[in-house]
């Protein structure tokens, strides 16, 4: 049943795959993966911008970037969509599997549906999606060990190593080892606590070591924490902003539902489970990108307490054992699902099936700037991802941790028109010879009135300005 439900979820997201192609970060992620494959090496310094060229930069998602690069074909986004859909399907299958001891698969699927809908805002063809099933399997393994009052399986360590090579979010898995281990200790008899604590502590150190099993070694956990050093700049990045309750959405409804269920059911959680639940809620409230972690992990945290309260654990296990099909029937069903999934996948794997949503590809404007040999282009961060895909060095892109808090804040002040002096300073400091700005940002209109600049081109996506006294430059190699 977990495999069957995972396949259904996979095929559903194949059908709506365009929703995963709405973030220009996908473009530079694939570009990094292509560079790794071409050079058979990993980047240690920035080679994609002219504002941070040569500065230290580690690609914490190198393995996911390589997988996306392998799946991508020029002008054909089906590979990236298929890969992302497979990750979502695997996440669904693991979710159903982890809940099987406490909830029947049909009911677990009913629960899963709104949780996937809640998380869809962050379902993008980007590395964090490939890490999502690994996150669920690792944290689910920790919670299963806590439910059994034992130490985690050593088989979880390869999952941590894989997670660390796929995406920097593995630090959340490391951070959860302590609280979940504390939950295991709190429900264990006093005489056994010291030995169990030692085993959890040993596993924690081993997991930290496993997270360093990457080409960057010990720099991996250090580099992934740089994003948290952006301070106020994090509040300017859409996926890092706090949750917004100005209108009711599925996340807000789920929080209200949790409160209502808590009052109605009378379930009493241990203080350690309350700590875990509050941590997941706080993370989702603090940054909207954590909503999918809240959606997938909260049911696992609450599953055993609710099952124990209602006395359903043994009943579910008995029914599952009673209704378990024969091995031959299971094999035939699995083969049928694989065959159907393969057939449907082939029908969707066509060059024209998927396309990017949103205005992130100003091809005509970039063609014009390339003919003028513009080399230092001031653009918005989303367009920066497209420039990188065109082998044009960017002013800024989605790697906010590379640029730092002060630079990111100055960038937002400039493009949003909050401080014209900042815009002028950036144009002069970085010797900008052309601007490429979305028509919706205030800076694109401010540029019309700046002395020494003239509008050269405009369409529905972008506006191009160049220096009024700047002749076209002779061609130079990049």
């Amino acid at each position: 049943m977990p495999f069957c439900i995972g396949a259904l979820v996979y095929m559903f997201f194949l059908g709506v795959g365009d929703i995963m192609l709405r973030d220009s970060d996908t473009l530079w992620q694939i570009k990094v993966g292509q560079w790794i494959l071409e050079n058979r090496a990993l980047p240690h310094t920035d080679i994609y911008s002219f504002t941070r060229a040569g500065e230290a930069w580690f690609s914490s998602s190198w393995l996911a970037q390589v997988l996306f690069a392998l799946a991508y074909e020029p002008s054909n986004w089906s590979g990236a969509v298929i890969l992302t859909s497979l990750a979502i399907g695997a996440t669904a299958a693991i979710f159903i599997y982890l809940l099987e001891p406490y909830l029947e698969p049909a009911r677990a699927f009913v629960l899963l549906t709104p949780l996937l809908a809640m998380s869809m805002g962050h379902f993008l063809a980007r590395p964090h999606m490939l890490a999502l099933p690994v996150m669920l399997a690792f944290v689910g393994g920790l919670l299963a060990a806590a439910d059994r009052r034992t130490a985690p399986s050593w088989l979880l360590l390869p999952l941590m190593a894989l997670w660390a090579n796929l995406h920097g979010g593995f630090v959340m898995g490391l951070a959860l080892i302590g609280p979940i281990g504390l939950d295991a200790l709190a429900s264990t008899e006093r005489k056994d606590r010291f030995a169990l604590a030692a085993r959890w502590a040993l596993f924690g150190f081993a997991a930290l070591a496993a997270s360093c099993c990457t080409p960057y070694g010990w720099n991996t956990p250090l580099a992934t924490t740089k994003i948290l050093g952006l301070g106020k700049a994090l509040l300017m990045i859409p996926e890092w902003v706090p949750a917004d309750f100005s209108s009711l959405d599925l996340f807000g409804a789920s929080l209200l539902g949790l409160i209502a269920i808590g009052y109605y059911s009378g379930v009493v959680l241990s203080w350690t489970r309350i700590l875990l639940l509050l941590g997941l809620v706080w993370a989702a409230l603090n940054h909207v990108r954590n909503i999918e972690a809240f959606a997938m992990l909260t049911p696992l945290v609450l599953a055993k307490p609710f099952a124990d309260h209602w006395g359903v654990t043994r009943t579910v296990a008995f029914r599952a054992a009673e209704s378990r099909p024969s091995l031959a029937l299971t094999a035939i069903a699995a083969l049928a699902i694989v065959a159907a999934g393969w057939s449907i996948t082939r029908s969707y794997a066509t060059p024209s099936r998927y396309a990017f949503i949103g205005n992130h590809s100003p091809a005509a404007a970039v063609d014009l700037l390339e003919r003028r040999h513009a080399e230092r282009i001031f653009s918005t961060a989303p367009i920066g991802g497209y420039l990188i895909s065109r082998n044009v060095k960017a002013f800024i892109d989605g790697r906010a941790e590379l640029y730092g808090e002060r630079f990111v804040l100055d960038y937002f002040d400039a493009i949003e028109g909050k401080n014209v002096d900042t815009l002028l300073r950036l144009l002069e400091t970085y010797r900008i010879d052309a601007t490429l700005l979305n028509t919706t940002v205030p800076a694109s209109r401010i540029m019309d009135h700046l002395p020494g600049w003239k509008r050269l081109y405009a369409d529905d996506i972008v506006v191009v300005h160049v220096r009024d006294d700047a002749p076209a430059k002779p061609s130079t190699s990049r």
Side-chain angles (χ1 to χ4, degrees), residues 22-29 126 356 360 381-386:
R22 60 185 194 275
D23 189 338
S24 66
D25 279 6
T26 299
L27 302 173
W28 70 259
Q29 299 277 8
R126 282 173 37 193
F356 247 82
H360 301 309
I383 294 177
Y386 176 73

Side-chain angles (χ1 to χ4, degrees), residues 21-28 72 75 77 354-369 379-390 436-439 457 459-464:
L21 300 173
R22 60 185 194 275
D23 189 338
S24 66
D25 279 6
T26 299
L27 302 173
W28 70 259
Y72 174 73
S75 303
W77 289 102
Y354 302 106
F356 247 82
I357 299 174
N359 297 328
H360 301 309
S361 304
V366 175
D367 289 343
L368 173 63
L369 289 173
S379 74
T380 55
I383 294 177
Y386 176 73
L387 290 176
I388 290 174
S389 73
R390 292 280 301 264
L436 181 64
L437 301 171
N438 296 96
T439 57
Y457 173 86
D459 57 25
D460 294 337
I461 303 174
V462 293
V463 179
V464 174

Side-chain angles (χ1 to χ4, degrees), residues 133-211:
V134 182
M135 175 205 75
L136 191 60
F138 181 82
V139 180
L142 295 181
L143 288 167
D147 290 341
R148 296 191 304 267
R149 302 176 186 177
T150 61
S153 168
W154 294 106
L155 295 177
L156 294 179
L157 295 179
L159 283 178
M160 173 52 69
L162 176 61
W163 192 358
N165 284 279
L166 286 172
H167 189 255
F170 72 90
V171 294
M172 183 187 71
L174 294 175
L176 285 173
I177 294 174
I180 296 176
L182 193 61
D183 178 71
L185 294 177
S187 56
T188 302
E189 294 184 12
R190 188 181 297 272
K191 61 183 179 64
D192 299 324
R193 286 180 181 172
F194 181 79
L196 186 60
R199 293 168 65 191
W200 272 88
L202 182 61
F203 177 85
F205 284 115
L208 178 60
S211 72

Side-chain angles (χ1 to χ4, degrees), residues 373 375 393 474-478:
H373 307 295
E375 296 178 346
K393 292 187 181 296
S475 177
T476 58
S477 60
R478 285 193 186 91

Side-chain angles (χ1 to χ4, degrees), residues 87-174:
I88 300 173
T91 301
I94 294 169
F95 181 85
I96 300 297
Y97 175 79
L98 291 172
L99 284 183
E100 268 193 325
Y102 313 111
L103 198 61
E104 294 171 348
R107 294 182 178 180
F109 180 60
V110 172
L111 173 64
L112 174 66
T113 303
L115 298 180
L116 290 174
M118 185 193 312
S119 308
M120 283 179 67
H122 204 218
F123 281 1
L124 306 165
R126 282 173 37 193
H128 68 275
M129 292 306 301
L130 305 191
L132 189 59
V134 182
M135 175 205 75
L136 191 60
F138 181 82
V139 180
L142 295 181
L143 288 167
D147 290 341
R148 296 191 304 267
R149 302 176 186 177
T150 61
S153 168
W154 294 106
L155 295 177
L156 294 179
L157 295 179
L159 283 178
M160 173 52 69
L162 176 61
W163 192 358
N165 284 279
L166 286 172
H167 189 255
F170 72 90
V171 294
M172 183 187 71
L174 294 175

Side-chain angles (χ1 to χ4, degrees), residues 409-443:
L409 289 175
D410 285 347
Y411 156 76
F412 277 107
D413 281 349
I415 66 166
E416 292 177 1
K418 293 181 178 179
N419 192 326
V420 177
D421 289 339
T422 300
L423 174 60
L424 292 171
R425 174 167 55 82
L426 293 177
L427 295 175
E428 295 305 318
T429 300
Y430 295 100
R431 306 191 308 280
I432 302 300
D433 48 30
T435 66
L436 181 64
L437 301 171
N438 296 96
T439 57
T440 55
V441 300

